[in-house]
Every structure is written in C-alpha cells, then in structure tokens.
C-alpha cells in the first residue's frame, strides 16, 4: 500500500510523457521503420547538435565530482547570471539563482515554497500541459485556469482572482509561460506590466516560466518579467534552463531566480532534494565561459528555428491546416476545430487517437493544455525537416474527409 | 510569505550540511592556510581519485543529451542491476530500479511513497544525521528513534513498534543504514533476518540505505536485505548510489530498488521531480561497462579504506581517544563522554563548538545522529592521511585537561 500522495501522483502521469515514450519506442525511419511513429509531440530542439557536439567533450577534475553547494556551484550560477543579465538588461546576483535537476524541479520548488496544499495558482489557459504535475503534483496546490480567447489578457486574470477571493480561496500565485507554450506568443512590456500590476493588487506572486527566453524568431524581442522597464518584479520568480534554448533536454538543469529572501531560503532548502550533478554543472559552466561562442550559438539556433518555422508553415498552408502563427518556441498551435465530429473534448480526444493510431503521428491535443475550447493541437517542428514533412503529410491524409469518416 | 512546508524545511537545514560548508569555505592547507578548518565531518572518500580520473573523460553523443526515461536510462539501470546482482547473489531486474538525482532524493521518494504526513518511520538510533530531512522533510513522515545500546537489536525495534501501535500511531516503515552510519557496523544474516521478521509481523516495510555496500573492510562480508538467504524481502526497499563506493558524491546518482509494483509505480512518478542528468548517466554506464575494472576498483578502494582505517586507529590510540571499531564506511564513532562537563546534549554541543572554534576541526556530535547518550562524535577519515593527522593532533590538543578548561 502506498501513501495518498503517491497514489495521486501515480494516477496522474503527464499525458505528454506517456505519448512521448510510446512514440519514441517505435520511431519512424524512412529506411528501416517506415511505419513507425512520427513524434511531433515533444518540444525538443534537434536543430543544433552539430554546433554543440564539439563543445560537450570534457575531462572532469577532482573538484567537479565532490559535494558542491546543493543550490548550484558558484561557477555555474555566476555564468548563468551573466547570461541572464544580458537578456534582462539588469544585473543578476548569482546568489539569487537556485540550480536544480530540471525546470520541472524548479517549478515544483517555486510552487512548494509558495503554496500549502489546497492553495491556488491561477494559470492563463491554454497552458503548458505539464504544469498540472509540475506545479501541483507534489506541492498539493490547486491550479485554476484563466481562460484566454487569444493571447494573454491580464483583465481575465484579474476577474478570476477577484472571483476566487470572493469565494474564499487562498490564491498564492499566477503562473505563466513567457514566451508562451503551447502558442508561442511573445509578450510585450505593456501586457506584462499590467499582469504584474494585477498580481500585486491581489497580493499574489508571479511564477514566470521563461524557458524559451532565447528561442524567439519574431521581430518583437523577448521581454523578461525581470526587465527594469516593467518595474515591481520583486514578487516575480523566474524559471529558466538549458532544455530549450540549448537543446539539452536530457541534462536536467533548471534554474529558479528569486530576489525574495524567504522564497530563496525555501528554494535552497528544497533544492537539497533535487540537486544537479556537479559534472553536468562543470560541463555547462565551461560551455557558457566562451561568451562569444554562446552569442553566436543562440543567434544561429534562433535562425534555424525561424527556418524550421517557415518551412513548417509552408507545409501546413499547402495541406490546408490552419494555425496561430507563433513568434517563439518549438511548436505550432494548429486549428482542427472543423475536423471534430462534435464540439467537445471527447471528440477532440477521439481525433487525437485517430491521428496517433492511423497516421501514427504524435501531436498533443488542446485538452492536455487546458485549452478553453476543443479542436486545437500542438505540433512541434524543431526536429529533422524530413520528419516534419512526413508527419504533416500523414496528418493531412488522415484529416481529409475520407480520413475523417473512414 | 512562504508555505508552512517551506518554512519548516528552511528552519531545518541539516547540521551536517551547514558545518560542511563552513569548514569547506576556509580549508586547512599546510602551506597556504595552516590555520584553516580540518573537515573530518563529511563522509566523502578522497582516496581513489587517481583511479577514477582517467575513466571520467568522455564525449557525449546526441542520444545522451535528449529526454530519457525519467526513472533512469535503460543502459545505466542495466549496468547497476548487474553490479548489484553480484553483491546480492540473486538476479536483479533493471525495471525494479529507479535512478534519481542522489540518495537523498531516493530516500525522500521511498518515504513519500510509503507515508502520508504524520505517519511514522522507526529508525534504530544513532542514525545517519540527514535521515531527519531526507525521510521526513518533504514527506511529512515522523521519525521515531529506536535507541540501541550497541549494535542493531531487532527486539528493541519490536518493542518500539509495539508501543507505537498501542498508542495509535500509524507506522509505515523501519529505516536502517546497512552497513551502519555513523558506527560502521556490518550486520550478519541472523540480525537482518530477524529485523525483516519483526517488520513483517508488524505489517511495516523496510527502507534499507545500503550506500556503503562495497565499502566494507572487515572479514565479515556485507549482506544485503535482498540476499536470498534472508528470505521475505518483498517489502524491503533498498537505496544505493555512487557517492560512497565510487567516491563520486557530486554526481548525484541515487538508486531505489523495489519489487513492490505499487511502490515502484509511485517511485517512478516521484522520480519525475528529481531526474539525473543523462550525461551523468552515460558517464556511469560507460564506467560500469568494464566489469573487470569495476571489480579491481572496488577491491582497491576497500583496501585503501582499510589502510586509512588502520592508520586513523593508530592515531586515535596514541592520542588516548577511544572509539568503536568500525567494520565499514568512512568514519569512526569516537567516545568523548569523559570530556563532557555535564552528561547532557547541551554539554556535547558545547564540546562540539569548542572543537570547531578552537581546534578548527569539524567532527559531528552524536546529537546530530539522534544518539541515545551524549558524548559520541563521528570522525571521518577517508581523506588525505596528512589531513587526518593534522585533525587528530589538533583534536588531542584541545581535549587535554588544559584544553578542556582553558
């Protein structure tokens, strides 16, 4: 017999993880496994390995394999602080960073530091599908979606906060992804400033998952919630990591930035349960040390992402698949509303299963992202162009009227 | 304001960690910092780096940096299963292993899988000082010591379990370290068999922290709770890792072995919050692949540990410091009872502070290990012999009658 906490977590394996491993267990290969799965469900970038490979060879020194500070080595925190300071356009104190084994751990730590079981985090929806587990799974917090009709609208967050407080809920935070996932929105200063203002007025913190910080390809630049032009970010806690911008999703390095002394102390105590290996930290410290290389890498990575985005948009256009044009990130938010047999999430799930079973393409349905209306799917494209082509070709075939009713 | 969970954890930073970082911030060096701290408080082996260094150089491949199964890669789990199968003298299924970012995470996961907040884990005392945080910090479980007068006595565990159940407590597990920490006992089959029998009779699980499995230098060999000659280990969950036996404490690779399907499913779900970097897993998979080298390394490591143990025993003897002779592990359990000014833990703490401040030697007091009586300290010796010599020389000086009252 296991604990209630364990039983709850066991029952709630993130759909995103289950589908990922099902698809990865039998992957498409044009030569050896043409009937295998095309996995366009996982937000991983495989566009930059040629640039990274020569940089990820290293010999460990004795000091890299012994106990280090459990919230991250000085060397790695200093290097990350320098990188983020450039993006945030303000100094970043390495002591305000807590490095843990992945962005999931960082999100769990932020939520656990802020929320006791039953307390609420408001999340503009659709939202990153793993937020449910990451923010609520161990902390016991409760996520309440603030349904958006298009991009982030702070007045909707305001309304949800007002309603929740009137109903007697204890709300502790608003959590966003910025740039947004699944839609790839890049938020400008005015909307972020207003969101911070709404949060302050309701006396709640902001958890900003900025994991796609450097994966922006629109003309409008990324703005961090820590940007000085926003003002009043003292209660905004930022998550960043190496999984997206550096395409190193396996390396499990998540970062929490907070200037709140109590949250920082709590995060350090919680980091004790999810430390990052010191050898991985040494590897990334050395990678970041060459700042000219890092600048070039991030620019080239964004350029390749833009090219992948353009090519994918072309394929979707010629297949008659509509989408919201993303400005950042690894995915398209595609609109299959008119392919549903009914306007409900059960019909969306049926379509998801038909795509997975018949086309053998893994794309995640909007329901997994708490989408306000059924019929949207997230299609990830930051992989081999031929794989994206195969996936969209299969998708188009199964979405034809014959495919719909066959 | 932070959550109650966070506030509790922040207030309970393990003493062992605080003292470690204080000592490491100003370390003794005979040439450059002769007045610095001698840290004999941290159970790390620095005896084998020359053997490991040439093996810890590697180039990563693309498959080593992308999402892997969050309970550990197949490659590493298979290699660990083969290693443990040899020690346990029975087949080990890699699917029964969950690899997470350190033994602390593995202990937390075992406790969280078994216990809801307020439920009890019985721990023979003295016990590993970080158990309090590792097993109770996030799970909310409550540790109840079973005070031992010398080595592990299952009848005392039986008595404590009987009393707790009579008082209405919900007890979920007994947790042991084996070989024991701080004392370095190696338990024989009869005592372990009896412990498993007691646990079964009271319908509780056993958490066995076997992190010092291969760090035994006594003639009596290590026996795992999974050894088939014990029988009935279905409810025993084993923790192992690379921190002690391989001297790679920074690498943060903890392993939980369980054959209970529910506990295993829960552990996999919890592993999602504390995964180990895939590059670290690749490094260790490759290290274990050369089984002949591993056998030689573990034998040489145990031989060097034995030599360090003998030399340290000689220094303690000639300094008039009594101790319990260990059979395994990195430390001596030294007896400073007659150096206390009073027979209480406040006096022990005063002595600890005098040793830390005047001798500038970090050795942890028994109170940190829930020792049943005051006056015992844990002295770790698996470091440079000259450092141990300096530490014991300083310790002896401060423990002389003049040092006691000066």
């Amino acid at each position: 017999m296991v604990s209630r906490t364990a039983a709850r977590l066991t029952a709630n394996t993130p759909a995103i993880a289950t589908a990922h491993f099902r698809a990865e267990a039998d992957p498409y290969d044009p030569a050896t496994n043409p009937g295998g799965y095309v996995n366009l469900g996982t937000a991983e970038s495989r566009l930059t390995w040629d640039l990274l490979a020569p940089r990820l060879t290293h010999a460990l020194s004795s000091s890299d394999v012994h106990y280090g500070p459990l919230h991250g080595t000085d060397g790695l925190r200093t290097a990350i602080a320098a990188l983020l300071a450039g993006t945030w356009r303000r100094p970043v104190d390495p002591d305000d960073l807590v490095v843990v084994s992945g962005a999931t751990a960082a999100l769990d730590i932020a939520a656990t530091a802020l929320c006791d079981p039953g307390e609420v985090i408001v999340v503009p929806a659709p939202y990153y599908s793993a937020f449910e587990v990451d923010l609520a799974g161990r902390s016991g917090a409760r996520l309440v979606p603030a349904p958006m009709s298009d991009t982030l609208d702070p007045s909707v967050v305001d309304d949800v906060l007002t309603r929740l407080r009137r109903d007697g809920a204890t709300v502790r935070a608003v959590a966003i992804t910025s740039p947004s996932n699944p839609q790839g929105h890049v938020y400008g200063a005015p909307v972020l400033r207003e969101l911070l203002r709404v949060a302050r007025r309701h006396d709640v913190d902001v958890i900003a998952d900025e994991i796609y910080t450097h994966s922006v390809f629109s003309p409008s630049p990324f703005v961090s919630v820590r940007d000085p032009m926003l003002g009043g970010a003292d209660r905004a806690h930022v998550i960043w990591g190496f999984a997206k911008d550096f395409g190193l999703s396996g390396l499990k390095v998540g970062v929490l930035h907070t200037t709140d002394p109590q949250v920082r102390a709590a995060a350090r105590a919680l980091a004790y349960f999810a430390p990052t290996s010191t050898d991985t930290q040494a590897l990334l410290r050395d990678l970041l040390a060459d700042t000219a290389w890092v600048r070039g890498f991030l620019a080239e990575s964004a350029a390749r992402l833009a090219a992948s985005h353009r090519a994918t948009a072309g394929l979707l256009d010629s297949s008659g698949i509509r989408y919201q044009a993303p400005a950042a990130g690894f995915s398209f938010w595609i609109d299959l509303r008119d392919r549903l047999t009914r306007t409900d999430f059960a019909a969306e799930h049926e379509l998801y299963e038909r795509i997975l079973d018949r086309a053998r393409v893994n794309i995640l349905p909007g329901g997994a992202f708490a989408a306000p209306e059924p019929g949207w799917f997230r299609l990830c494209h930051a992989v081999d162009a031929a794989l994206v082509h195969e996936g969209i070709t299969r998708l188009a075939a199964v979405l034809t009227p014959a495919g719909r009713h066959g």
Side-chain angles (χ1 to χ4, degrees), chain A:
Chain A
M1 197 184 75
V2 295
S3 67
R4 289 186 301 275
T5 305
R8 179 169 49 76
L9 272 169
T10 308
N12 284 311
T13 305
I16 192 171
T18 308
H20 170 80
F21 290 113
R22 176 170 163 190
E24 292 289 319
D26 179 22
Y28 165 75
D29 183 282
T32 60
N33 192 21
Y37 284 101
V38 173
N39 184 16
L40 304 180
T42 307
E44 261 187 324
S45 169
R46 306 215 171 191
L47 302 175
T48 50
W49 176 247
D50 59 312
L51 305 175
L52 289 164
R55 294 268 163 174
L56 295 179
T57 302
H58 76 144
L60 293 174
S61 75
S62 166
S63 60
D64 295 333
V65 301
H66 291 297
Y67 288 119
L70 291 175
H71 63 291
T73 61
D74 290 345
L76 181 59
R77 283 186 291 102
T78 301
I80 293 172
L83 176 68
L84 295 181
T87 316
W88 296 358
R89 304 183 303 168
R90 72 189 304 166
V92 175
D93 186 340
D95 283 342
D96 290 340
L97 296 173
V98 175
V99 172
V100 290
S101 66
T104 285
L107 287 163
D108 167 48
I109 286 171
T112 303
L114 295 174
C115 304
D116 279 302
E119 295 181 348
V120 171
I121 300 174
V122 170
V123 194
Y127 56 75
Y128 170 48
S129 64
F131 262 4
E132 192 66 42
V133 175
D134 293 3
L135 291 172
R138 284 210 75 171
S139 71
R142 185 161 64 87
L143 301 195
V144 174
M148 298 294 149
S149 57
D150 179 22
T151 184
L152 179 62
D153 181 349
S155 75
V156 177
V157 175
D158 196 3
D159 292 346
V160 171
L161 286 166
T162 303
R163 176 173 57 76
L164 283 164
R165 293 175 70 195
R166 194 189 54 217
D167 295 350
T170 302
V171 185
R172 294 302 324 271
V174 174
I176 60 167
T177 49
S178 170
S180 82
N181 178 6
Q183 291 155 300
H185 294 308
V186 172
Y187 302 131
V191 70
L192 290 171
R193 191 181 293 119
E194 181 56 21
L195 183 78
L196 291 176
R197 200 176 288 146
V198 166
R200 210 158 45 236
R201 200 160 56 231
H202 287 279
D203 192 27
V204 303
D205 289 23
V206 171
I207 299 172
D209 178 344
E210 298 186 351
I211 194 111
Y212 288 102
T213 288
H214 304 97
S215 301
V216 174
F217 43 83
S218 69
S220 44
F222 170 75
V223 178
S224 170
V225 293
R226 299 291 309 170
D227 195 294
M229 74 174 150
L230 300 185
D234 293 351
R235 291 181 64 182
H237 319 291
V238 175
I239 280 83
W240 183 76
F242 287 83
K244 308 303 183 188
D245 292 345
F246 282 87
L248 295 170
S249 43
L251 261 52
K252 299 300 159 209
V253 183
V255 181
L256 173 65
H257 175 275
T258 179
T259 56
D260 180 311
Q262 281 187 286
V263 175
R264 189 175 52 212
R268 287 182 181 188
L270 286 158
Y272 177 79
F273 297 93
T276 299
S277 296
T278 47
D279 62 316
T280 305
Q281 295 192 59
L283 187 72
L284 295 175
R285 174 201 64 205
D286 294 349
L287 189 75
L288 293 185
D290 187 344
T291 53
W293 179 86
V294 170
R295 262 195 307 277
F297 171 82
L298 291 174
E300 174 65 17
S301 176
R304 291 186 187 184
L305 207 49
S308 173
H309 159 259
R310 274 194 307 275
T312 306
L315 290 168
L316 292 171
D317 288 341
S318 59
S319 304
I321 298 172
R322 287 195 299 256
Y323 53 86
Q324 284 190 9
F330 297 170
S331 58
F332 280 78
W333 190 234
I334 66 173
D335 177 4
L336 304 183
R337 285 178 296 177
D338 63 359
R339 265 70 167 207
L340 297 186
T341 50
R342 302 176 311 280
T343 311
D344 59 34
F345 284 98
E348 178 186 275
H349 194 78
E350 286 163 24
L351 179 57
Y352 164 69
E353 295 208 316
R354 198 164 78 229
I355 294 168
L356 190 61
D357 294 340
R358 301 219 187 147
R360 295 175 73 80
V361 173
N362 177 40
I363 56 172
L364 293 181
F369 299 89
E373 67 173 337
W376 294 85
F377 287 72
R378 191 186 72 168
L379 182 147
C380 298
H381 64 85
V383 291
D384 186 49
L387 192 68
V388 179
H389 187 274
E390 173 73 15
I392 293 179
T393 304
R394 291 187 187 185
L395 192 58
V398 88
L399 291 175
T400 58
R404 284 170 67 194
H405 306 109

